[in-house]
Amino acid sequence: MVSIRHFTESDKQDVIQLFNAHCETEPLYKPWTEESFDELFMKNPHFNPQLAFVASQNEDLIGFAFGVFVEKTRIGYITMILVRQDVRRQRIGSMLLTELENALRTLQPKQIDCSFFNPLHLTWIIPGTEGHEHPNAPGVPYPSPAYHFFRHHGYLEITTEYAYYLELKHFNIPIEIHTRIQSLNEKGIEFTFFDLEKHRFEDLFEKLGNDLWRDEIHTAVKKGLKVLVPVKDGVALGFTGPIYPQANGRGYFAGIGVHPTYQGQGIGKALFFLLCHYEKMFGATYMSLFTGETNPARRMYESAGFTIAHSFKVMRKHFEI
């Protein structure tokens, strides 16, 4: 007899063991330690114990489900539906998902997503590397049993996200980009690190329409982190960064953007190549990022030597409250 109940802190070790066993048999995600589990769930401001469930059978924990609700956007997120491998295909995952959806329904979300906007980030290991990590899974791995599970339960495929990877020891700025930078310099556009005393963003982030970028870059600048910008007459026309190597060797990358008025001049491509150059210079050994299947920026990433490491599907379910 399978029973479903809310997760309690006493379940923590069993959930960690369940997840790590899954990582051994179906390697993609980074295994958890007690510390990393606490950081991801227990200490996360988005953790809601009413959205965490476990399945048990004969007193053995055999499943775990967790979701998130973001009040500001009124979007619910599925973080994980996990069932022990030897008891799959017994509708245990469906039971967990139903409990989680019902709990989310009480919060009146406008939709439920499996996407990179989920504020609880699952770290995954980039296939074919020596343990190189990416800090956020941008949806449901594809192809995978999880993809077919969510399709079966009414989740629609919204976009395909490609995760790109580059080992930086192979990276060098080509002559073409050096020539482009020189040409832009002649037009009065200088590539430099943002300086609070010399530069200003003006309406850049409003025009780009991305509040997450604005908040992260403004915070980075105030902390003194290096943000690469193209500047003309003291005004930043774009950004990329912040630039710093993380402890695991990954070159950090929040995003890249160019003011609409100055797009089409090759500024974005020059910014990206300089980003890779400085990440390597400051000690990063690799970079990883993800982008949508239809995003034209893919050509830029590929021209810098990035290759697709994995695919994910952003999936969504609308339902009546």
Side-chain angles (χ1 to χ4, degrees), residues 188-204:
I189 299 173
E190 174 192 8
F191 292 88
T192 185
F193 294 121
F194 190 87
D195 186 327
L196 275 170
E197 296 183 359
K198 298 179 181 178
H199 309 138
R200 60 190 186 279
F201 282 116
E202 288 195 346
D203 65 344
L204 173 64

PDB file of all heavy atoms in Angstrom, residues 188-204:
ATOM      1  N   GLY A 188      33.601  55.826 -31.708  1.00  0.00           N
ATOM      2  CA  GLY A 188      33.447  56.383 -30.366  1.00  0.00           C
ATOM      3  C   GLY A 188      32.903  55.409 -29.350  1.00  0.00           C
ATOM      4  O   GLY A 188      32.535  55.811 -28.236  1.00  0.00           O
ATOM      5  N   ILE A 189      32.825  54.119 -29.705  1.00  0.00           N
ATOM      6  CA  ILE A 189      32.316  53.101 -28.785  1.00  0.00           C
ATOM      7  C   ILE A 189      33.496  52.336 -28.194  1.00  0.00           C
ATOM      8  O   ILE A 189      34.240  51.668 -28.909  1.00  0.00           O
ATOM      9  CB  ILE A 189      31.352  52.138 -29.499  1.00  0.00           C
ATOM     10  CG1 ILE A 189      30.140  52.912 -30.035  1.00  0.00           C
ATOM     11  CG2 ILE A 189      30.900  51.021 -28.547  1.00  0.00           C
ATOM     12  CD1 ILE A 189      29.209  52.091 -30.906  1.00  0.00           C
ATOM     13  N   GLU A 190      33.668  52.464 -26.899  1.00  0.00           N
ATOM     14  CA  GLU A 190      34.790  51.832 -26.191  1.00  0.00           C
ATOM     15  C   GLU A 190      34.269  50.688 -25.328  1.00  0.00           C
ATOM     16  O   GLU A 190      33.243  50.809 -24.670  1.00  0.00           O
ATOM     17  CB  GLU A 190      35.484  52.872 -25.293  1.00  0.00           C
ATOM     18  CG  GLU A 190      36.573  52.285 -24.418  1.00  0.00           C
ATOM     19  CD  GLU A 190      37.047  53.247 -23.343  1.00  0.00           C
ATOM     20  OE1 GLU A 190      36.409  54.315 -23.184  1.00  0.00           O
ATOM     21  OE2 GLU A 190      38.025  52.920 -22.659  1.00  0.00           O
ATOM     22  N   PHE A 191      34.993  49.577 -25.337  1.00  0.00           N
ATOM     23  CA  PHE A 191      34.648  48.436 -24.487  1.00  0.00           C
ATOM     24  C   PHE A 191      35.490  48.497 -23.225  1.00  0.00           C
ATOM     25  O   PHE A 191      36.723  48.517 -23.281  1.00  0.00           O
ATOM     26  CB  PHE A 191      34.890  47.121 -25.240  1.00  0.00           C
ATOM     27  CG  PHE A 191      33.940  46.909 -26.384  1.00  0.00           C
ATOM     28  CD1 PHE A 191      34.236  47.418 -27.645  1.00  0.00           C
ATOM     29  CD2 PHE A 191      32.743  46.234 -26.201  1.00  0.00           C
ATOM     30  CE1 PHE A 191      33.357  47.239 -28.703  1.00  0.00           C
ATOM     31  CE2 PHE A 191      31.854  46.052 -27.260  1.00  0.00           C
ATOM     32  CZ  PHE A 191      32.161  46.554 -28.519  1.00  0.00           C
ATOM     33  N   THR A 192      34.805  48.552 -22.087  1.00  0.00           N
ATOM     34  CA  THR A 192      35.514  48.720 -20.821  1.00  0.00           C
ATOM     35  C   THR A 192      34.674  48.120 -19.691  1.00  0.00           C
ATOM     36  O   THR A 192      33.565  47.640 -19.912  1.00  0.00           O
ATOM     37  CB  THR A 192      35.786  50.216 -20.564  1.00  0.00           C
ATOM     38  OG1 THR A 192      36.586  50.359 -19.384  1.00  0.00           O
ATOM     39  CG2 THR A 192      34.488  51.002 -20.387  1.00  0.00           C
ATOM     40  N   PHE A 193      35.205  48.182 -18.476  1.00  0.00           N
ATOM     41  CA  PHE A 193      34.439  47.738 -17.321  1.00  0.00           C
ATOM     42  C   PHE A 193      33.662  48.921 -16.742  1.00  0.00           C
ATOM     43  O   PHE A 193      34.195  50.034 -16.655  1.00  0.00           O
ATOM     44  CB  PHE A 193      35.357  47.134 -16.262  1.00  0.00           C
ATOM     45  CG  PHE A 193      36.027  45.859 -16.719  1.00  0.00           C
ATOM     46  CD1 PHE A 193      37.404  45.764 -16.753  1.00  0.00           C
ATOM     47  CD2 PHE A 193      35.270  44.773 -17.122  1.00  0.00           C
ATOM     48  CE1 PHE A 193      38.021  44.604 -17.183  1.00  0.00           C
ATOM     49  CE2 PHE A 193      35.884  43.607 -17.558  1.00  0.00           C
ATOM     50  CZ  PHE A 193      37.265  43.526 -17.582  1.00  0.00           C
ATOM     51  N   PHE A 194      32.433  48.668 -16.365  1.00  0.00           N
ATOM     52  CA  PHE A 194      31.579  49.744 -15.870  1.00  0.00           C
ATOM     53  C   PHE A 194      32.184  50.372 -14.623  1.00  0.00           C
ATOM     54  O   PHE A 194      32.623  49.688 -13.706  1.00  0.00           O
ATOM     55  CB  PHE A 194      30.187  49.203 -15.544  1.00  0.00           C
ATOM     56  CG  PHE A 194      29.178  50.281 -15.253  1.00  0.00           C
ATOM     57  CD1 PHE A 194      28.456  50.870 -16.279  1.00  0.00           C
ATOM     58  CD2 PHE A 194      28.958  50.722 -13.954  1.00  0.00           C
ATOM     59  CE1 PHE A 194      27.530  51.861 -16.018  1.00  0.00           C
ATOM     60  CE2 PHE A 194      28.043  51.708 -13.677  1.00  0.00           C
ATOM     61  CZ  PHE A 194      27.334  52.286 -14.707  1.00  0.00           C
ATOM     62  N   ASP A 195      32.180  51.702 -14.604  1.00  0.00           N
ATOM     63  CA  ASP A 195      32.714  52.482 -13.490  1.00  0.00           C
ATOM     64  C   ASP A 195      31.610  53.419 -13.006  1.00  0.00           C
ATOM     65  O   ASP A 195      31.137  54.273 -13.768  1.00  0.00           O
ATOM     66  CB  ASP A 195      33.934  53.273 -13.957  1.00  0.00           C
ATOM     67  CG  ASP A 195      34.653  54.007 -12.821  1.00  0.00           C
ATOM     68  OD1 ASP A 195      33.968  54.430 -11.872  1.00  0.00           O
ATOM     69  OD2 ASP A 195      35.883  54.164 -12.894  1.00  0.00           O
ATOM     70  N   LEU A 196      31.215  53.265 -11.743  1.00  0.00           N
ATOM     71  CA  LEU A 196      30.123  54.077 -11.204  1.00  0.00           C
ATOM     72  C   LEU A 196      30.386  55.572 -11.286  1.00  0.00           C
ATOM     73  O   LEU A 196      29.459  56.371 -11.406  1.00  0.00           O
ATOM     74  CB  LEU A 196      29.865  53.682  -9.740  1.00  0.00           C
ATOM     75  CG  LEU A 196      28.939  52.500  -9.491  1.00  0.00           C
ATOM     76  CD1 LEU A 196      28.980  52.085  -8.025  1.00  0.00           C
ATOM     77  CD2 LEU A 196      27.510  52.851  -9.893  1.00  0.00           C
ATOM     78  N   GLU A 197      31.657  55.957 -11.235  1.00  0.00           N
ATOM     79  CA  GLU A 197      31.996  57.383 -11.242  1.00  0.00           C
ATOM     80  C   GLU A 197      32.066  57.959 -12.653  1.00  0.00           C
ATOM     81  O   GLU A 197      32.005  59.174 -12.828  1.00  0.00           O
ATOM     82  CB  GLU A 197      33.340  57.596 -10.534  1.00  0.00           C
ATOM     83  CG  GLU A 197      33.306  57.230  -9.050  1.00  0.00           C
ATOM     84  CD  GLU A 197      34.626  57.510  -8.365  1.00  0.00           C
ATOM     85  OE1 GLU A 197      35.569  57.966  -9.052  1.00  0.00           O
ATOM     86  OE2 GLU A 197      34.720  57.284  -7.147  1.00  0.00           O
ATOM     87  N   LYS A 198      32.178  57.076 -13.661  1.00  0.00           N
ATOM     88  CA  LYS A 198      32.351  57.573 -15.030  1.00  0.00           C
ATOM     89  C   LYS A 198      31.179  57.257 -15.956  1.00  0.00           C
ATOM     90  O   LYS A 198      30.953  57.969 -16.931  1.00  0.00           O
ATOM     91  CB  LYS A 198      33.617  56.970 -15.649  1.00  0.00           C
ATOM     92  CG  LYS A 198      34.914  57.331 -14.945  1.00  0.00           C
ATOM     93  CD  LYS A 198      36.087  56.640 -15.637  1.00  0.00           C
ATOM     94  CE  LYS A 198      37.411  56.960 -14.960  1.00  0.00           C
ATOM     95  NZ  LYS A 198      38.553  56.250 -15.622  1.00  0.00           N
ATOM     96  N   HIS A 199      30.440  56.183 -15.658  1.00  0.00           N
ATOM     97  CA  HIS A 199      29.452  55.680 -16.608  1.00  0.00           C
ATOM     98  C   HIS A 199      28.049  55.648 -16.012  1.00  0.00           C
ATOM     99  O   HIS A 199      27.883  55.654 -14.795  1.00  0.00           O
ATOM    100  CB  HIS A 199      29.836  54.255 -17.058  1.00  0.00           C
ATOM    101  CG  HIS A 199      31.235  54.124 -17.534  1.00  0.00           C
ATOM    102  ND1 HIS A 199      32.056  53.058 -17.211  1.00  0.00           N
ATOM    103  CD2 HIS A 199      31.998  54.939 -18.324  1.00  0.00           C
ATOM    104  CE1 HIS A 199      33.234  53.199 -17.775  1.00  0.00           C
ATOM    105  NE2 HIS A 199      33.227  54.334 -18.446  1.00  0.00           N
ATOM    106  N   ARG A 200      27.074  55.578 -16.885  1.00  0.00           N
ATOM    107  CA  ARG A 200      25.677  55.439 -16.453  1.00  0.00           C
ATOM    108  C   ARG A 200      24.943  54.555 -17.464  1.00  0.00           C
ATOM    109  O   ARG A 200      25.298  54.505 -18.644  1.00  0.00           O
ATOM    110  CB  ARG A 200      25.008  56.804 -16.337  1.00  0.00           C
ATOM    111  CG  ARG A 200      24.977  57.615 -17.624  1.00  0.00           C
ATOM    112  CD  ARG A 200      24.524  59.047 -17.375  1.00  0.00           C
ATOM    113  NE  ARG A 200      24.343  59.799 -18.610  1.00  0.00           N
ATOM    114  CZ  ARG A 200      25.328  60.363 -19.302  1.00  0.00           C
ATOM    115  NH1 ARG A 200      26.581  60.275 -18.870  1.00  0.00           N
ATOM    116  NH2 ARG A 200      25.071  61.030 -20.415  1.00  0.00           N
ATOM    117  N   PHE A 201      23.905  53.864 -16.980  1.00  0.00           N
ATOM    118  CA  PHE A 201      23.144  52.958 -17.836  1.00  0.00           C
ATOM    119  C   PHE A 201      21.988  53.655 -18.545  1.00  0.00           C
ATOM    120  O   PHE A 201      21.522  53.207 -19.579  1.00  0.00           O
ATOM    121  CB  PHE A 201      22.588  51.790 -17.012  1.00  0.00           C
ATOM    122  CG  PHE A 201      23.610  50.730 -16.705  1.00  0.00           C
ATOM    123  CD1 PHE A 201      23.993  50.474 -15.399  1.00  0.00           C
ATOM    124  CD2 PHE A 201      24.180  49.985 -17.715  1.00  0.00           C
ATOM    125  CE1 PHE A 201      24.916  49.484 -15.104  1.00  0.00           C
ATOM    126  CE2 PHE A 201      25.109  49.001 -17.444  1.00  0.00           C
ATOM    127  CZ  PHE A 201      25.481  48.745 -16.124  1.00  0.00           C
ATOM    128  N   GLU A 202      21.489  54.748 -17.970  1.00  0.00           N
ATOM    129  CA  GLU A 202      20.301  55.435 -18.469  1.00  0.00           C
ATOM    130  C   GLU A 202      19.151  54.443 -18.654  1.00  0.00           C
ATOM    131  O   GLU A 202      18.768  53.751 -17.727  1.00  0.00           O
ATOM    132  CB  GLU A 202      20.628  56.226 -19.743  1.00  0.00           C
ATOM    133  CG  GLU A 202      21.482  57.472 -19.440  1.00  0.00           C
ATOM    134  CD  GLU A 202      21.540  58.478 -20.568  1.00  0.00           C
ATOM    135  OE1 GLU A 202      21.154  58.144 -21.699  1.00  0.00           O
ATOM    136  OE2 GLU A 202      21.974  59.620 -20.303  1.00  0.00           O
ATOM    137  N   ASP A 203      18.604  54.301 -19.858  1.00  0.00           N
ATOM    138  CA  ASP A 203      17.387  53.492 -20.032  1.00  0.00           C
ATOM    139  C   ASP A 203      17.667  52.104 -20.608  1.00  0.00           C
ATOM    140  O   ASP A 203      16.760  51.455 -21.135  1.00  0.00           O
ATOM    141  CB  ASP A 203      16.394  54.224 -20.925  1.00  0.00           C
ATOM    142  CG  ASP A 203      16.899  54.413 -22.355  1.00  0.00           C
ATOM    143  OD1 ASP A 203      18.120  54.246 -22.580  1.00  0.00           O
ATOM    144  OD2 ASP A 203      16.084  54.720 -23.243  1.00  0.00           O
ATOM    145  N   LEU A 204      18.898  51.613 -20.492  1.00  0.00           N
ATOM    146  CA  LEU A 204      19.265  50.345 -21.117  1.00  0.00           C
ATOM    147  C   LEU A 204      18.332  49.210 -20.718  1.00  0.00           C
ATOM    148  O   LEU A 204      17.763  48.516 -21.567  1.00  0.00           O
ATOM    149  CB  LEU A 204      20.716  49.983 -20.778  1.00  0.00           C
ATOM    150  CG  LEU A 204      21.174  48.587 -21.234  1.00  0.00           C
ATOM    151  CD1 LEU A 204      21.166  48.479 -22.751  1.00  0.00           C
ATOM    152  CD2 LEU A 204      22.571  48.276 -20.675  1.00  0.00           C
TER     153      LEU A 204
END
